[in-house]
Amino acid sequence: MSNDTATTPPAADKAGAANTRKVFIKTYGCQMNVYDSVRMGDALAGDGYVPTDAMEEADLILLNTCHIREKAAEKVYSALGRLRDMKQARQADGQELMIGVTGCVAQAEGEEILRRAPAVDVVVGPQTYHRLPEALRRARQGTRVVDTDYAVEDKFEHLPVTEKARIRARGVTAFLTVQEGCDKFCTFCVVPYTRGAEVSRPLHQIIDEARRLADAGVREITLLGQNVNAWHGEGPDGREWGLGDLLYRLAEVPGLARLRYTTSHPRDMDDRLIDAHRDLRSLMPYLHLPVQSGSDRILKAMNRRHTASEYLRLIDRIRTARPDIAMSGDFIVGFPGETDVDFEDTLRIVQAVGYAQAFSFKYSTRPGTPGADLPDQVPEDVKSERLERLQALLLKQQAEFAKSCVGKVIDLLLEKPGRNEGQVIGRSPWLQSVNVDAKTSQIGDIIPVRIIGTGPNSLFAEPVRDVIIA
Ligand code: 5AD
Ligand code: SF4
């Protein structure tokens, strides 16, 4: 899962009445936060808030934060410093500006945020954002609020059902969180502490939400979870279902043409899930399966509980089931104790897999995680040098993958207007952005196109014939 994207709000959601209060949500971190931001917008809609893309015109600014690496939290504090000035200027004009911090930094830092950032009115964790309206009401009465309990009630049961018009305004692809939290305790990672233990949403909730999305015109759903393939729940047959079973069931939802899921742990890739890749046309041939390191010694120190060769064998099985699958991954360089030899093992596993896409990071010490107390922390300049070498290799593989697509005829889901009139941006089965000449009225259709060229971050295509595939 990409954790580096600092995206803007649950974007241009144009539904809602005029002359109401406006909320700007800045999303840091992974796709789960993007989903949460959207649902926070839903929770606030009942209080008359409509989303805005313009921070300056907002009456409420929420920073939905990420705590995965050190820099991310520091970014939040410096953003809050800038917001304090903005709030003071507004107050001088007799106007209200409320500021809230949500997400994983909120969970981890709690009261500390109120201490360090006097402009903040509410701090609300990832499990309690259905109570945001109440927290804001209390703050307006003069009590700054920290609500970071692991709520006993299920937030999803308390969030309002999203209106069709709001879903439609968000586009033809959507995220759907099916699982939260993590029990794996990789020694570098704060997630088990910030997002808590693994919890799966019940099957009926997921199917209902997927149906609602599809009814509103969503064609592609990405199932989300910190450990999405650890999802489990009781099936209608009384059996314990896993993610594979869930995908087979979702493939039957009318209107849903494409399914994806992220992020997976190699240890939870079971046979049924691999079968789903073989059997389901709607399950897209793209898999984000982080390995973090190619060295068995480091994998052990990271508590990943698999070896490099087990990971490679797993990928062989997945590729046998779905030969055109594109692999994506996450890597950490400079984990404590990582030697040059360990790092060479990481380069070797990258060579062996051949990634279409990847995210790589310098190890960042997270207080409270076991990794923070390990000896042999790697010096910053060594981490930088390793990251540079790894990224050069990954970028080369990415470019090679993009080039290998040229000349192919692929199915393209038309997603949003392109930069130029008469152009539309679509999404390939392998998650690439593809520019093609098409009408905006075709958005939501899946059409055959021929890839004719590559750009820095996208591909170019021409329509093959005027046929709607799905
Ligand atoms: N330092 C660097 N990278 C990290 N990640 C998680 N924790 C850390 C950390 N302490 C990376 C992992 C994970 C991705 C979401 O973020 O690669 O898969
Ligand atoms: Fe963090 Fe490991 Fe859990 Fe992923 S599997 S969220 S890296 S502890």
Side-chain angles (χ1 to χ4, degrees), residues 96-267:
E96 175 185 278
L97 173 60
M98 304 212 57
I99 296 173
V101 180
T102 59
C104 294
V105 175
Q107 188 67 41
E109 304 264 298
E111 297 276 348
E112 178 67 13
I113 296 176
L114 296 190
R115 253 193 306 277
R116 274 184 70 175
V120 171
D121 300 290
V122 296
V123 176
V124 175
Q127 298 311 333
T128 41
Y129 61 74
H130 56 295
R131 300 202 291 234
L132 252 174
E134 185 195 323
L136 288 167
R137 270 192 291 276
R138 277 167 54 206
R140 222 171 255 122
Q141 286 157 11
T143 315
R144 298 166 84 204
V145 176
V146 177
D147 185 359
T148 52
D149 295 345
Y150 286 112
V152 256
E153 75 268 17
D154 174 359
K155 68 169 176 267
F156 294 110
E157 293 286 359
H158 287 76
L159 285 166
V161 167
T162 318
E163 291 159 31
K164 220 171 183 171
R166 291 174 70 87
I167 299 174
R168 196 169 291 139
R170 288 171 189 150
V172 295
T173 60
F175 292 133
L176 199 177
T177 291
V178 300
Q179 180 279 338
E180 290 186 281
C182 181
D183 295 340
K184 296 279 187 298
F185 290 95
C186 299
T187 54
F188 51 79
C189 188
V190 285
V191 165
Y193 312 95
T194 50
R195 289 270 179 167
E198 275 172 20
V199 178
S200 295
R201 288 180 73 185
L203 181 70
H204 71 87
Q205 250 188 27
I206 297 167
I207 303 293
D208 285 355
E209 192 166 329
R211 276 214 201 99
R212 268 197 305 276
L213 291 170
D215 283 351
V218 167
R219 308 302 316 277
E220 175 180 304
I221 286 186
T222 303
L223 306 181
L224 298 180
Q226 259 97 27
N227 237 309
V228 71
N229 55 347
W231 180 87
H232 60 97
E234 192 185 328
D237 51 4
R239 217 172 35 84
E240 185 75 352
W241 277 22
L243 187 69
D245 300 297
L246 175 61
L247 287 164
Y248 279 96
R249 176 67 190 82
L250 287 172
E252 293 168 5
V253 173
L256 273 191
R258 291 179 161 196
L259 297 169
R260 305 177 185 275
Y261 60 93
T262 197
T263 285
S264 301
H265 193 288
R267 284 192 48 111

Side-chain angles (χ1 to χ4, degrees), residues 1 3 68-69 188 292 330 332 361-364 366:
M1 196 179 292
N3 274 79
I68 199 102
R69 279 170 295 275
F188 51 79
Q292 315 293 357
D330 289 341
I332 295 177
F361 314 99
K362 288 194 260 187
Y363 172 68
S364 161
R366 309 309 287 125

Side-chain angles (χ1 to χ4, degrees), residues 248-468:
Y248 279 96
R249 176 67 190 82
L250 287 172
E252 293 168 5
V253 173
L256 273 191
R258 291 179 161 196
L259 297 169
R260 305 177 185 275
Y261 60 93
T262 197
T263 285
S264 301
H265 193 288
R267 284 192 48 111
D268 292 323
M269 287 301 299
D270 62 18
D271 290 346
R272 183 80 171 144
L273 186 50
I274 296 175
D275 287 351
H277 279 283
R278 181 195 60 205
D279 297 340
L280 299 178
R281 188 170 161 265
S282 55
L283 182 55
M284 290 294 98
Y286 179 93
L287 178 60
H288 184 66
L289 193 65
V291 66
Q292 315 293 357
S293 167
S295 152
D296 287 345
R297 225 172 53 79
I298 296 299
L299 286 170
K300 188 151 197 276
M302 287 176 164
N303 191 33
R304 293 291 292 179
R305 294 185 296 137
H306 63 78
T307 62
S309 58
E310 280 164 352
Y311 178 81
L312 289 174
R313 271 203 301 278
L314 174 61
I315 289 187
D316 278 348
R317 284 172 51 219
I318 297 166
R319 281 188 166 145
T320 305
R322 184 77 207 233
D324 65 338
I325 203 156
M327 295 304 304
S328 159
D330 289 341
F331 297 89
I332 295 177
V333 299
F335 186 78
E338 184 186 76
T339 62
D340 284 342
V341 175
D342 294 318
F343 176 64
E344 294 298 329
D345 286 343
T346 297
L347 295 179
R348 230 189 323 273
I349 205 167
V350 171
Q351 292 282 13
V353 173
Y355 287 92
Q357 171 75 267
F359 305 93
S360 46
F361 314 99
K362 288 194 260 187
Y363 172 68
S364 161
T365 311
R366 309 309 287 125
T369 62
D373 300 324
L374 290 175
D376 302 325
Q377 298 281 331
V378 174
E380 218 34 50
D381 56 333
V382 176
K383 285 186 202 170
S384 301
E385 192 250 337
R386 287 181 188 163
L387 187 67
E388 211 173 291
R389 283 181 63 198
L390 175 61
Q391 289 188 336
L393 175 59
L394 290 167
L395 277 176
K396 188 166 142 265
Q397 292 193 340
Q398 227 167 290
E400 280 164 6
F401 179 72
K403 247 198 251 146
S404 75
C405 295
V406 176
K408 278 188 190 157
V409 173
I410 65 162
D411 294 354
L412 191 67
L413 168 59
L414 299 178
E415 210 188 342
K416 54 190 173 199
R419 202 173 294 162
N420 304 322
E421 181 81 23
Q423 271 195 339
V424 171
I425 299 175
R427 206 180 261 207
S428 82
W430 304 286
L431 211 55
Q432 298 140 304
S433 281
V434 182
N435 300 282
V436 67
D437 289 343
K439 297 195 248 337
T440 48
S441 59
Q442 290 176 280
I443 286 173
D445 291 348
I446 297 177
I447 62 166
V449 300
R450 180 175 289 103
I451 305 295
I452 51 172
T454 63
N457 292 308
S458 59
L459 301 174
F460 299 96
E462 58 186 19
V464 172
R465 53 183 195 279
D466 239 349
V467 174
I468 297 172

Side-chain angles (χ1 to χ4, degrees), residues 30-56:
C30 66
Q31 292 95 326
M32 304 229 6
N33 269 11
V34 175
Y35 174 85
D36 287 344
S37 292
V38 168
R39 300 307 305 268
M40 282 174 207
D42 292 343
L44 292 166
D47 273 12
Y49 279 101
V50 294
T52 172
D53 305 351
M55 192 193 270
E56 321 73 65

